[in-house]
Amino acid sequence: MKVTKKIDNQIIVDVFSFCKEFLLQQDENITNKQIPRLNYTLDQLEEVIDKYSKKKSKVTGTSKKDPDTNKLSEEIEKIKDQNALRSYYNNSLRHYFDTNSTEEMKNAILKSVSLNDLRYLYSLISPITLPQSRKKTEILQLLRMYFENESRTRSLKI
């Protein structure tokens, strides 16, 4: 059976936690012959538990990314509904798909908005969560298709 570091660390934490509880609840009537006394102090046990608990949390996915990367830009935070999103898309993002836009213009548009911002904008129009593998250009394309289809259906109304 292959044991991973995550499981190793959990085993260490569990064993040392048990030892700590055992020391706290150990009855004075039990002699050392019946149950050998542990040669650790509570402080030593707590130190090991803390050390390996921290390792466990690092292994299980604490992000190395800056916590500010999940923040939305101020301009995007103001967008709360589809009408505001439509206006923002038409004024800022739609130009990415213009046939006369240059590569510099496209790159400037991509740099002006973060991936997290685009995910938030998409969440305003769809309850479906995007996969983490989606790129900025793919999300922009999804927004474009949404607004183009919306205008197409409006034109069908009598």
Side-chain angles (χ1 to χ4, degrees):
M1 182 174 138
K2 184 178 178 183
V3 180
T4 64
K5 285 186 178 186
K6 179 180 172 183
I7 294 172
D8 287 349
N9 289 341
Q10 184 60 45
I11 291 169
I12 291 169
V13 169
D14 291 344
V15 168
F16 278 91
S17 296
F18 174 77
C19 291
K20 178 183 170 187
E21 291 298 318
F22 181 74
L23 280 178
L24 290 173
Q25 296 176 1
Q26 194 171 25
D27 189 6
E28 297 296 327
N29 296 333
I30 299 176
T31 65
N32 286 344
K33 292 178 186 173
Q34 293 171 324
I35 298 178
R37 180 133 175 103
L38 297 173
N39 293 325
Y40 307 110
T41 66
L42 287 176
D43 292 335
Q44 289 173 323
L45 290 173
E46 286 175 358
E47 185 178 320
V48 171
I49 290 169
D50 290 342
K51 176 182 172 184
Y52 283 94
S53 292
K54 289 176 185 171
K55 278 188 179 179
K56 184 183 100 187
S57 67
K58 286 181 184 174
V59 169
T60 57
T62 54
S63 177
K64 292 181 183 177
K65 292 182 180 178
D66 186 19
D68 290 338
T69 58
N70 289 335
K71 287 189 176 182
L72 298 174
S73 64
E74 290 179 24
E75 188 176 12
I76 301 297
E77 283 181 345
K78 295 176 185 174
I79 301 171
K80 300 291 182 195
D81 60 0
Q82 287 185 7
N83 291 331
L85 172 58
R86 184 179 304 104
S87 173
Y88 178 77
Y89 174 80
N90 287 328
N91 294 331
S92 301
L93 302 177
R94 183 181 52 85
H95 305 295
Y96 180 84
F97 298 103
D98 287 346
T99 55
N100 59 354
S101 64
T102 63
E103 285 300 316
E104 290 115 17
M105 288 175 61
K106 289 181 178 183
N107 288 335
I109 291 170
L110 287 177
K111 288 180 182 178
S112 70
V113 64
S114 72
L115 182 61
N116 195 40
D117 291 344
L118 288 172
R119 288 182 175 284
Y120 169 74
L121 295 176
Y122 184 78
S123 72
L124 293 174
I125 61 171
S126 176
I128 299 171
T129 306
L130 288 171
Q132 290 296 322
S133 61
R134 291 287 185 172
K135 297 177 183 172
K136 285 183 180 182
T137 55
E138 293 172 331
I139 299 172
L140 277 174
Q141 184 65 32
L142 291 171
L143 291 171
R144 175 186 182 195
M145 290 187 312
Y146 175 82
F147 287 116
E148 284 180 355
N149 290 335
E150 182 185 54
S151 67
R152 199 174 297 131
T153 55
R154 277 191 189 148
S155 67
L156 293 174
K157 290 183 181 178
I158 300 175

